[in-house]
Structure formats: C-alpha cells, structure tokens
Amino acid sequence: MIALAGTLVVHLLVVVVWVLGLAPWAWLLAILILNHAVLLLGMRPGSRILGPDMRRLPPAAAALGQVALTFDDGPDPVVTPQVLDLLDTAGACASFFCIGTAARAHPDLVREIVRRGHSVENHTERHALTFAAYGIGATRREILAAQRTLAPLAGRTPAFFRAPFGLRSPFLAPAIRGLHLTYLSWTRRALDGARGDATAGLARLTRGLAAGDILLMHDGRCARDRGGRAVVLAILPALLDVLAARGLRSVSLAMAAEVVSEPTPPSGADASN
C-alpha cells in the first residue's frame, strides 16, 4: 500500500509540475520511468517493495529442521497421485497450491491431498497469464473464486496464496485485505514447470539447502523429460533422499504455522508439568 500511495503521489506531483511549467518534461518523464521501474522490481518473487512476501519458514520452524515442499498448478490426475505416493513413502508432508478450475475438475484429488496429511492452498481460480496486470477488483475476484472452490473440498480455508509465475500484482495487498491470506514465493525452485532437465532442477533445489527453506515444484502443467515423464517425478525421490540425509523434515505450511502459534513455556517452568 505504501508503494501504491507513493506512486499516486508521484504521478500527481508530476502533473502539477508539468501544468505549472516548473520543470522540463524530460525530467518529469524520467521520474515516471523510475517510479514504474521500482514497481516492476516489486513484482519479482521475493521482493517486499509492494508488501510482505514470505520466502522462508518462520525461525521457530527452521529451528526444528523443517522445510516446506510446495507444488503448484495442480491437481493433475496423472502426476498428483504419483507425487502423493512418493511423499507417503518418505513420510513427508507438503503444500499443494491448487488452481480453482483444476480443483473443480478433480475434486476427489483435492480431498485425497488433504486425507494424506497435506495442505491445500490458493493459486488463483484460472492461473491467468495476465494476472499480475489485473486491477484490485479483478485480482480479488480471482483469489476469492479459488477460495470458494478450495475451502469446501479441503475442509479448511486456504491460508496461503502464491501468484501465477510468482509475479506479484501491484494491487495484491489491497486486494487480499481481510481474506486472512499470507502471500509467499519461495527460497529456491526447480523450474520443473518449464525445463525438462531433472538433474539441473535437483541441483537448484539442493544447492545451499537449509532448514527453513520453501521449495517450489509443480504437480500440474509440468515440464517433461525426453521420455515424456513429468520432471517432478524424477526430481522428488532424489530430493527426499537429500532431505533425509541432511536431517531435514518436510512439513506443510499449515504445520509450520502451528509450530509458530504454539505457546512458549514460561522461563524456568517445570517441563514435567
């Protein structure tokens, strides 16, 4: 909101200065270009120029050796069940950022995600290419539509939101006001939604991997390797092995949030009580 308010002020001042002829138009144009450049930087994943962006788990979760595996763009009737099976085998939990239209097409898959102990979160209703260019009203409608689709299927209202492609709309903060949604991006991603190289994707996820990281993969709209297999299915088993070897535990975002909300025992309290 501060960035948007600042942008409005800049534009109003530029208009006033131009009308009064107090500065050359080239200078005013440069100011507007600089202002919009700042907004573009704020749309990048991880930037906090336009508002809060959760890139890592809270310190309390990191202290327990927790990481968050997150999967975007599902559910997919072929890939998602295989991802769930791999997670089950490793005893890992994750969060699935589902698209509303895909969830309505495969409601039983959404229920199965929850039944197996994972959380379902909001990835918009349609995953529109132009989502980052929406105004406040259109942004809110897109997110609310997904909330209304996912909440009854998951048995809980999604508490986290990730934008398509991780590109944040300048109007996102006012659009989600009152929806009790935390916006987040990631610490590192596999790029398995765009590139068919599982080895490179695994390297991106594991290079510098540490407790508290949020990892991004895709169980929908997945890139395929040369054999036609979803890249995430090649990455995930090896990634789960790396987590186990490093003593890291994969949890859902909901589980990490529960750790943070647990009360801290009073100093000097008897642990046996």
Side-chain angles (χ1 to χ4, degrees):
M1 284 298 292
I2 294 176
L4 281 181
T7 294
L8 179 60
V9 170
V10 167
H11 281 68
L12 288 174
L13 287 175
V14 164
V15 170
V16 170
V17 171
W18 177 73
V19 170
L20 297 177
L22 299 177
W25 68 267
W27 290 14
L28 300 179
L29 179 60
I31 290 172
L32 290 178
I33 291 173
L34 178 61
N35 176 250
H36 284 270
V38 170
L39 289 180
L40 287 173
L41 288 174
M43 294 172 68
R44 295 179 309 152
S47 173
R48 294 184 173 90
I49 293 174
L50 297 174
D53 183 344
M54 179 177 168
R55 294 186 63 189
R56 295 181 54 80
L57 297 181
L64 297 175
Q66 296 180 351
V67 297
L69 300 185
T70 66
F71 298 89
D72 282 9
D73 295 1
D76 179 272
V78 175
V79 178
T80 302
Q82 296 180 74
V83 168
L84 291 173
D85 288 344
L86 290 170
L87 293 172
D88 277 357
T89 299
C93 289
S95 293
F96 290 77
F97 282 81
C98 295
I99 300 170
T101 53
R104 284 202 303 280
H106 309 288
D108 289 343
L109 262 181
V110 179
R111 298 186 186 100
E112 184 67 7
I113 289 170
V114 176
R115 188 189 72 78
R116 298 208 198 184
H118 312 291
S119 72
V120 170
E121 309 299 346
N122 190 320
H123 199 42
T124 73
E125 176 70 2
R126 297 172 298 148
H127 200 278
L129 290 171
T130 55
F131 176 79
Y134 285 2
I136 294 176
T139 300
R140 188 177 181 88
R141 286 192 295 273
E142 183 75 7
I143 296 170
L144 265 177
Q147 290 287 83
R148 291 165 179 158
T149 294
L150 297 172
L153 294 176
R156 58 175 282 276
T157 302
F160 296 89
F161 171 75
R162 178 181 282 148
F165 314 107
L167 294 177
R168 180 193 187 113
S169 165
F171 301 106
L172 181 65
I176 65 174
R177 182 182 296 142
L179 299 184
H180 306 292
L181 279 169
T182 296
Y183 179 75
L184 85 167
S185 52
W186 55 81
T187 314
R188 57 196 79 247
R189 59 177 171 171
L191 291 178
D192 58 317
R195 302 181 185 178
D197 188 339
T199 301
L202 179 64
R204 291 186 192 95
L205 292 175
T206 56
R207 190 180 299 116
L209 177 63
D213 283 357
I214 297 173
L215 309 183
L216 168 60
M217 291 166 282
H218 292 78
D219 66 319
R221 305 185 181 191
C222 308
R224 306 279 168 167
D225 61 21
R226 292 181 179 179
R229 185 187 188 200
V231 173
V232 65
L233 299 177
I235 292 175
L236 187 55
L239 174 61
L240 292 168
D241 287 344
V242 170
L243 293 180
R246 298 187 186 182
L248 299 173
R249 179 186 173 215
S250 173
V251 298
S252 69
L253 293 165
M255 294 168 68
E258 288 174 2
V259 169
V260 175
S261 65
E262 289 178 359
T264 303
S267 177
D270 187 347
S272 64
N273 291 338

